[in-house]
């Protein structure tokens, strides 16, 4: 079959690469993709928001399946438009993507269906929000309702900090419309894990558990980012805990979405906190994680094209999804100034080719003449593969040692929690 991937980041590079080596896939297109994706996809210079143009391209080229990478097109309803045109899509409808697009929607649905998550309140008025904070005490978590590129969450250690976050979001208009309502949550103690699942509207098949590193600096210090590195499998989510998360979180959520008349199709991402009371939801995302995808998909031992088509057509079976008995680790190389800003045009030196035991996925690069330059906050995801996590990490960092660009930042403690 012919598959078209929407997006141009590291996650989409990993998806396109994995599809390109799937037996069922004869051709991968990327809209718009990035120069580095040329090794696994044909780049198509169309803007996804020009849907008439996109549909014409998909029909003219007899594309069988569209895989939507990022959240923005999903929240904007791209899956609905393509489905209406008769094109199967791996990715949720606009209604179902609210699970990520609105934190209030997600929290209210979890409450209605008794899915374990932090207690919360919803506010548009700063004074009422502050009264709630005073009553609950710190630490406490303040979140913008809408999409804020992973930056709309403040984990406040003091009441003053929480009040400042409320002012920033509600009065200061920091996130515009996305921050005109805030969710204030109980602080959950524990270790985090990302559990992604393939979903076809009713059947849920989990992927291998991974762990992200959201803060910019070693030791989980500094501001939140989109994610500075990942590894899989993550031992914190034992098989028993994964089964529990499936039974108490993912399966009930997919059943709830169907019952609410918005069946969920695509990758459902549950960000979990492993608390003393078991796994609880930190957030849901309506897409693959970035950089979780970069470590999860290399460990898949099935036909990704077949699995994604089965999700899009309601025919998913658990025996389609198998995992290799090995590990993967991803170290993100970020540009100067990230996460507040980013630096573009810095020349990347070093070997970027792919080996059997290491892969480099491009998050934000651009080809200038015959060399790559930085083109965003997160630049490269350097992935090591191996029989165990130690080997995978060593292979990733060995590659990192041979890559450099001006102002390059990365964490040196990816995976450290797994050895605690
Ligand atoms: P989110 O964008 O909702 O995933 O939040 C970003 C990060 O903030 C998470 O990965 C957690 O590290 C942290 N966080 C969010 N909500 C909570 C919570 N209720 N308790 C503790 N930490 C949280
Ligand atoms: N790595 C976190 C996310 O994709 O939201």
């Amino acid at each position: 079959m012919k598959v078209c991937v929407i997006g141009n980041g590291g996650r989409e590079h990993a998806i396109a690469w994995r599809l390109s080596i799937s037996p069922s896939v004869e051709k991968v297109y990327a809209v718009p993709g990035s120069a580095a994706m040329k090794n696994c996809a044909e780049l198509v210079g169309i803007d996804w928001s020009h849907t008439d143009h996109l549909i014409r391209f998909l029909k003219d080229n007899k594309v069988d399946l569209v895989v939507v990478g990022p959240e923005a097109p999903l929240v904007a309803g791209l899956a609905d438009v393509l489905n209406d045109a008769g094109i199967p899509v791996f990715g949720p409808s606009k209604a179902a993507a609210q699970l990520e697009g609105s934190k209030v929607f997600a929290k209210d649905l979890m409450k209605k269906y008794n899915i374990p998550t932090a207690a919360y309140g919803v506010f548009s008025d700063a004074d009422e929000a502050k009264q709630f904070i005073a009553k609950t005490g710190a630490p406490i978590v303040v979140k913008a309702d809408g999409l804020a590129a992973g930056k709309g969450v403040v984990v406040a250690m003091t009441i003053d900090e929480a009040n400042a976050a409320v002012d920033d979001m509600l009065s200061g208009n920091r996130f515009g419309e996305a921050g005109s309502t805030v969710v204030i949550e109980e602080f959950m103690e524990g270790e985090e894990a990302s559990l992604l699942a393939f979903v076809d509207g009713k059947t849920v098949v989990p992927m291998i558990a991974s762990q992200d590193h959201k803060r910019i600096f070693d030791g989980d210090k500094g501001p939140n980012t989109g994610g500075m590195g990942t590894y899989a499998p993550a031992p914190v989510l034992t098989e028993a805990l994964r089964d529990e998360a499936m039974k108490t979180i993912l399966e009930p959520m997919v059943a709830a979405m169907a019952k609410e008349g918005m069946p969920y199709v695509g990758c459902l991402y549950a960000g979990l906190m492993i608390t003393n009371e078991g796994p609880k939801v930190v957030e849901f995302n309506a897409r693959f994680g970035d950089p979780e995808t970069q470590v999860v998909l290399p460990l898949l031992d099935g036909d990704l094209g077949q699995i994604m088509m089965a999700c899009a057509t309601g025919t998913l079976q658990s025996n389609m999804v198998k995992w290799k008995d090995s590990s993967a680790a991803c170290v993100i190389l970020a540009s100067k100034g990230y996460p507040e800003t980013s630096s573009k045009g810095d020349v990347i030196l070093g070997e970027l080719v792919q080996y059997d035991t290491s892969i480099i996925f491009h998050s934000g690069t651009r080809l200038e003449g015959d060399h790559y330059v930085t083109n965003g906050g997160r630049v490269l995801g350097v992935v090591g593969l191996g029989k165990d996590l130690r080997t995978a990490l060593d292979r990733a960092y060995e590659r990192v040692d041979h890559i450099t660009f001006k102002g390059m930042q990365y964490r040196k403690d990816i995976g450290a929690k797994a050895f605690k």
Side-chain angles (χ1 to χ4, degrees), residues 12-219:
E12 289 76 26
H13 192 183
I15 293 171
W17 163 76
R18 191 60 189 76
L19 282 168
S20 73
I21 56 170
S22 295
S24 68
V25 176
E26 59 172 288
K27 173 114 198 161
V28 181
Y29 294 102
V31 169
S34 69
M37 285 164 73
K38 271 194 193 136
N39 64 356
C40 53
E42 182 177 323
L43 308 186
V44 183
I46 297 178
D47 182 339
W48 63 260
S49 65
H50 299 161
T51 49
D52 288 349
H53 195 177
L54 176 61
I55 289 169
R56 196 172 338 119
F57 163 78
L58 296 169
K59 297 228 155 162
D60 286 351
N61 290 281
K62 301 197 166 43
V63 172
D64 300 284
L65 175 70
V66 173
V67 177
V68 183
E71 60 275 19
L74 294 166
V75 170
L78 182 61
D80 308 64
V81 175
L82 298 180
N83 277 323
D84 287 348
I87 301 162
V89 180
F90 180 88
S93 65
K94 179 177 181 158
Q98 289 179 88
L99 217 40
E100 171 165 5
S102 166
K103 297 209 188 272
V104 176
F105 173 89
K107 293 295 284 190
D108 288 351
L109 206 60
M110 284 187 262
K111 189 170 174 185
K112 181 168 174 190
Y113 289 91
N114 282 315
I115 293 170
T117 189
Y120 69 105
V122 177
F123 304 93
S124 299
D125 179 89
D127 289 333
E128 285 173 24
K130 288 177 190 174
Q131 278 167 29
F132 182 82
I133 290 167
K135 204 172 73 203
T136 313
I140 191 163
V141 184
V142 182
K143 301 184 175 185
D145 175 48
L147 292 182
K151 291 164 197 158
V153 174
V154 175
V155 180
M157 286 303 154
T158 65
I159 288 181
D160 284 348
E161 218 183 314
N163 287 341
V166 165
D167 282 334
D168 201 25
M169 290 182 200
L170 287 182
S171 323
N173 206 26
R174 167 96 192 275
F175 299 105
E177 198 38 46
S180 65
T181 302
V182 296
V183 173
I184 302 184
E185 280 189 6
E186 162 205 11
F187 175 80
M188 296 186 286
E189 196 111 38
E191 199 174 317
E192 286 178 75
S194 304
L195 184 58
L196 284 58
F198 292 109
V199 185
D200 75 347
K202 47 189 192 302
T203 302
V204 192
V205 182
M207 301 186 211
I208 204 162
S210 54
Q211 188 173 58
D212 193 9
H213 298 65
K214 292 232 166 111
R215 306 294 191 110
I216 183 81
F217 300 128
D218 285 10

Side-chain angles (χ1 to χ4, degrees), residues 5 8-22 28 34 36-37 39-40 67 288-298 300 304 308 330 354 359-363 381 383:
V5 177
N8 63 357
R11 163 185 49 212
E12 289 76 26
H13 192 183
I15 293 171
W17 163 76
R18 191 60 189 76
L19 282 168
S20 73
I21 56 170
S22 295
V28 181
S34 69
M37 285 164 73
N39 64 356
C40 53
V67 177
F288 277 95
D290 191 345
E292 284 88 341
T293 310
Q294 288 89 318
V295 290
V296 169
L297 289 187
L300 177 70
L304 185 63
M308 287 179 151
C330 174
Q354 174 175 337
I359 315 174
I360 295 177
F361 294 118
H362 291 236
S363 303
V383 175

Side-chain angles (χ1 to χ4, degrees), residues 232-233 325-328 384-395 419:
D325 185 21
S326 53
S327 291
L385 306 168
K387 62 181 190 326
D388 53 28
L389 181 59
R390 184 78 271 156
T391 312
L393 283 164
D394 287 347
R395 286 180 172 150
F419 299 100

